[in-house]
Amino acid sequence: MTTTTPSGGARAAGATADYLDQRTGIAAAVKGLSRKIFPDHWSFMLGEIALYSFVVLLISGVFLTAFFVPSMAETEYDGPWAAMNGVPMSEAFASTLRLSFEVRGGLLMRQVHHWAALLFMAAIVTHMMRVFFTGAFRKPRELNWLIGFTLMILGLVAGFTGYSLPDDVLSGNGLRITDGIVMAVPVIGTYLSYWIFGGEFPGQDLIPRLFTIHVLLVPALILALIGAHLFLVFLQKHTQYPGGGRTDKNVVGYPLFPIYAAKAGGFFFIVFGVIALMAATMSINPVWNYGPYDPSPVSSGAQPDWYMLFLDGAVRLMPGQTEFVIAGFTLSLNVLVPAMVVPGVLFGVLALYPFIEAFATGDKRVHNVLDRPRNVPFRTATGVSVLSAFIVLILSGANDIIADHFSLSINDITWTLRVLLFVVPAIAFWVTKRICLGLQRKDRELVLHGHETGRIVRFAHGEYIEVHKPLSDEERWLRVNYDAHAPLQIAPAHDSRGVRRKGYRRDLLRQRVSRTFFEDRVEPVTPAELAAAHAHGAHDALESAEPHGGHEAVGAATEAPLVGGAVSGGGRRLADHDDDLGSDTRNY
């Protein structure tokens, strides 16, 4: 028998762990966390991409903060970029040029930071889409949905304050638009503008204020919310896609340590490597081509980053003849509606959607198994409709580039996009809903009749039928185990004594919302329907000649032997014998 002596490093690690455990009791927490089970699905990596991109933002941001000068004090540039020598500019722009051309690795870190910001927002939006379409926001995760929504808003604020810091022409144009939006606020708009910019636009205080918000306030809030988000993920069971053995009371997957931790750690380096590769090979935000900010010129083809482009597109689509003077105050609807009302309604509905759907369903159960998008047609159609409107607004934000590249009239493009903003979402909603309902009907067909095999057999009396392969228990369960919510039924407005019932108006509103959500639906197959589909008299006695596949010749001279089998599909389709359906009254 041989014994191994632990190395010095192992002894030191063990002693350190023992020291901490005796003083904090951390061993029990670490043991519990290491055994936490997480399901394995590629879509769960979207949240990880957002987290890892934020880590890259923090690392690169620390580097950039060491060299950036957040000041609007005027100076003359004298450096390696000859085109700017002698040009007056702010200290902020001059330090950005020094970062790009004089600091070793500065340009790479600037581009790492910018690409990571774009990927961060893309991952957040895509992650929220996954949560929305699969119903992962349902009880008990409404609070986590609100946290994720707030993280998205903070990401927008971080991006806007970040790309405004270099004080170049492109970012200055965005700040000029922001000033116009702020001044459009009735009564207090001008006072807000003076307070934000520290005087008449562009003022002298904006860049230092944006710097403080960008490097201190917003990152601190994002870190706090990420911590709260991860805490709730660990506190609650993780959501999982429907499948064999997966219920609302369990999680099927891998433990956090060592499997998931190793996979997550490796994925972080993949994300970091992809961002670094993009930063090294793809130029982004070359501020030296734009020049320092000057309020007088406005360049064509000026667009913000993609996640703010929808707001720019909404402002471009709004007609300009919508200003009214009321009591001496100008009400600029051409700015207020696209820049405040539309985003306010959109974001408000997005934040409150879990509560709106819960109000329509009356469902108060805990949900850990996700929905298949096809089984919630209204929600899926609504999501696709909003995304289509978002795409139209993005195209509108680039209407000048489209007009230039394709030699089209910008006015014709603008009017076309105005019409499409109302037409495309409606068409997308209708088409998506019909597709979802069609897929649900296809699922019913599969459950009742099985998979088509292409095998044709003939009865003794000359009738031809197609042999179908029955679904496995897991396939069948996947297609029938969902809630087909019906519109709510409410009590009459008056009771038996003719007295108007209290709360009737609220119930009526709830019924109307429920009818909007669930009037068009497809019920899952019930055991009675399945039993009826598998009972067809004489056909039940037929067994296929080739149970494992192959094809029967349609004109075959041989006849199939009459032994036990199961037929489904109104006597026109044949299914092989299946296992017992089980004792469950509905979901198999």
Side-chain angles (χ1 to χ4, degrees):
M1 180 177 179
T2 59
T3 58
T4 58
T5 304
S7 64
R11 288 196 301 270
T16 303
D18 184 64
Y19 178 88
L20 291 174
D21 182 46
Q22 291 185 27
R23 287 156 180 80
T24 63
I26 198 173
V30 171
K31 182 178 180 180
L33 289 178
S34 64
R35 292 181 177 179
K36 178 76 173 178
I37 301 298
F38 287 90
D40 189 37
H41 193 274
W42 67 265
S43 66
F44 296 132
M45 295 192 299
L46 296 171
E48 295 182 44
I49 293 174
L51 175 63
Y52 301 153
S53 300
F54 184 70
V55 173
V56 174
L57 282 170
L58 292 179
I59 296 172
S60 57
V62 170
F63 178 91
L64 298 177
T65 303
F67 300 98
F68 181 74
V69 180
S71 171
M72 299 183 72
E74 188 172 301
T75 184
E76 279 193 5
Y77 178 74
D78 182 19
W81 188 252
M84 290 289 170
N85 280 333
V87 175
M89 59 185 66
S90 65
E91 289 280 3
F93 188 79
S95 65
T96 304
L97 293 182
R98 282 194 295 273
L99 255 171
S100 303
F101 299 116
E102 299 179 52
V103 176
R104 180 168 296 180
L107 180 58
L108 176 64
M109 295 304 291
R110 275 193 62 228
Q111 300 198 149
V112 163
H113 195 73
H114 205 133
W115 280 118
L118 297 182
L119 186 60
F120 175 66
M121 285 306 303
I124 285 182
V125 171
T126 313
H127 178 61
M128 289 191 69
M129 288 167 54
R130 197 274 302 174
V131 171
F132 180 86
F133 285 116
T134 60
F137 53 74
R138 294 171 297 169
K139 184 181 178 180
R141 296 175 181 82
E142 302 95 333
L143 181 58
N144 233 357
W145 170 264
L146 293 176
I147 290 175
F149 170 80
T150 308
L151 281 171
M152 183 187 69
I153 299 300
L154 289 174
L156 296 177
V157 175
F160 174 76
T161 55
Y163 69 65
S164 298
L165 287 178
D167 199 30
D168 60 296
V169 169
L170 186 61
S171 64
N173 288 337
L175 291 174
R176 175 82 267 185
I177 295 173
T178 303
D179 179 53
I181 294 172
V182 171
M183 294 187 71
V185 177
V187 183
I188 62 172
T190 53
Y191 301 100
L192 282 176
S193 175
Y194 267 66
W195 177 73
I196 292 172
F197 292 95
E200 187 74 27
F201 178 86
Q204 293 295 318
D205 300 330
L206 183 62
I207 296 299
R209 292 176 178 178
L210 290 179
F211 182 78
T212 302
I213 294 172
H214 183 71
V215 305
L216 182 63
L217 179 61
V218 174
L221 292 175
I222 290 178
L223 278 173
L225 289 178
I226 287 177
H229 182 77
L230 294 178
F231 173 76
L232 289 177
V233 169
F234 275 89
L235 183 66
Q236 302 161 347
K237 285 185 173 65
H238 202 290
T239 56
Q240 56 188 343
Y241 285 89
R246 300 171 185 178
T247 69
D248 288 327
K249 297 181 179 180
N250 71 353
V251 179
V252 178
Y254 298 103
L256 175 64
F257 187 84
I259 298 175
Y260 200 82
K263 293 173 66 175
F267 190 51
F268 166 75
F269 289 105
I270 292 175
V271 172
F272 203 157
V274 170
I275 293 174
L277 180 64
M278 294 171 65
T281 57
M282 292 183 281
S283 178
I284 189 169
N285 198 25
V287 294
W288 52 88
N289 288 338
Y290 310 141
Y293 180 63
D294 183 347
S296 56
V298 177
S299 63
S300 63
Q303 276 78 30
D305 286 338
W306 72 268
Y307 48 84
M308 296 294 290
L309 195 55
F310 79 99
L311 188 59
D312 190 14
V315 174
R316 296 189 187 199
L317 284 188
M318 186 69 184
Q321 298 78 23
T322 51
E323 290 188 354
F324 304 94
V325 178
I326 302 176
F329 294 98
T330 301
L331 188 64
S332 301
L333 296 181
N334 58 326
V335 177
L336 287 175
V337 171
M340 293 187 178
V341 176
V342 172
V345 171
L346 175 64
F347 289 140
V349 171
L350 185 63
L352 297 177
Y353 187 87
F355 307 97
I356 297 173
E357 186 171 299
F359 179 76
T361 61
D363 186 4
K364 300 184 182 300
R365 296 182 296 114
V366 170
H367 295 275
N368 293 321
V369 176
L370 300 173
D371 285 327
R372 299 173 78 202
R374 68 181 63 184
N375 293 334
V376 276
F378 183 85
R379 181 205 299 158
T380 304
T382 300
V384 173
S385 177
V386 171
L387 287 176
S388 65
F390 184 75
I391 292 173
V392 172
L393 291 177
I394 285 180
L395 292 175
S396 174
N399 60 356
D400 52 344
I401 293 180
I402 296 174
D404 180 63
H405 280 248
F406 295 97
S407 300
L408 299 173
S409 167
I410 193 170
N411 291 329
D412 292 343
I413 293 174
T414 301
W415 274 104
T416 300
L417 292 173
R418 284 173 180 169
V419 174
L420 292 179
L421 183 60
F422 295 94
V423 173
V424 170
I427 294 176
F429 180 90
W430 183 83
V431 170
T432 303
K433 191 173 182 180
R434 303 325 298 177
I435 290 175
C436 289
L437 294 172
L439 290 172
Q440 284 183 284
R441 294 188 182 98
K442 179 62 176 177
D443 283 345
R444 283 183 60 88
E445 175 78 10
L446 285 173
V447 171
L448 292 173
H449 306 308
H451 296 288
E452 296 180 0
T453 64
R455 295 171 53 217
I456 306 298
V457 298
R458 187 178 65 181
F459 283 99
H461 57 275
E463 180 184 5
Y464 293 95
I465 60 174
E466 181 184 4
V467 178
H468 277 216
K469 178 184 177 183
L471 274 65
S472 66
D473 290 341
E474 183 173 345
E475 287 180 306
R476 188 187 306 116
W477 183 89
L478 182 65
R479 288 166 173 81
V480 301
N481 191 44
Y482 67 92
D483 296 319
H485 294 285
L488 296 177
Q489 302 297 321
I490 62 174
H494 299 84
D495 60 20
S496 58
R497 295 172 296 176
V499 178
R500 187 173 180 84
R501 184 169 57 85
K502 185 178 180 180
Y504 172 73
R505 287 189 176 182
R506 181 179 183 276
D507 289 347
L508 185 61
L509 172 63
R510 186 175 178 183
Q511 184 186 48
R512 289 173 178 172
V513 174
S514 176
R515 188 176 300 152
T516 301
F517 272 66
F518 307 116
E519 190 167 21
D520 294 329
R521 68 190 186 281
V522 176
E523 296 285 350
V525 176
T526 63
E529 289 176 316
L530 187 64
H534 282 195
H536 297 289
H539 290 184
D540 291 347
L542 183 65
E543 179 182 64
S544 72
E546 298 181 18
H548 299 292
H551 298 273
E552 289 281 348
V554 173
T558 58
E559 296 177 352
L562 299 177
V563 232
V567 175
S568 64
R572 306 307 305 171
R573 296 185 176 89
L574 181 72
D576 297 328
H577 180 71
D578 197 6
D579 296 330
D580 180 38
L581 296 178
S583 59
D584 189 88
T585 58
R586 171 176 165 178
N587 301 328
Y588 326 121

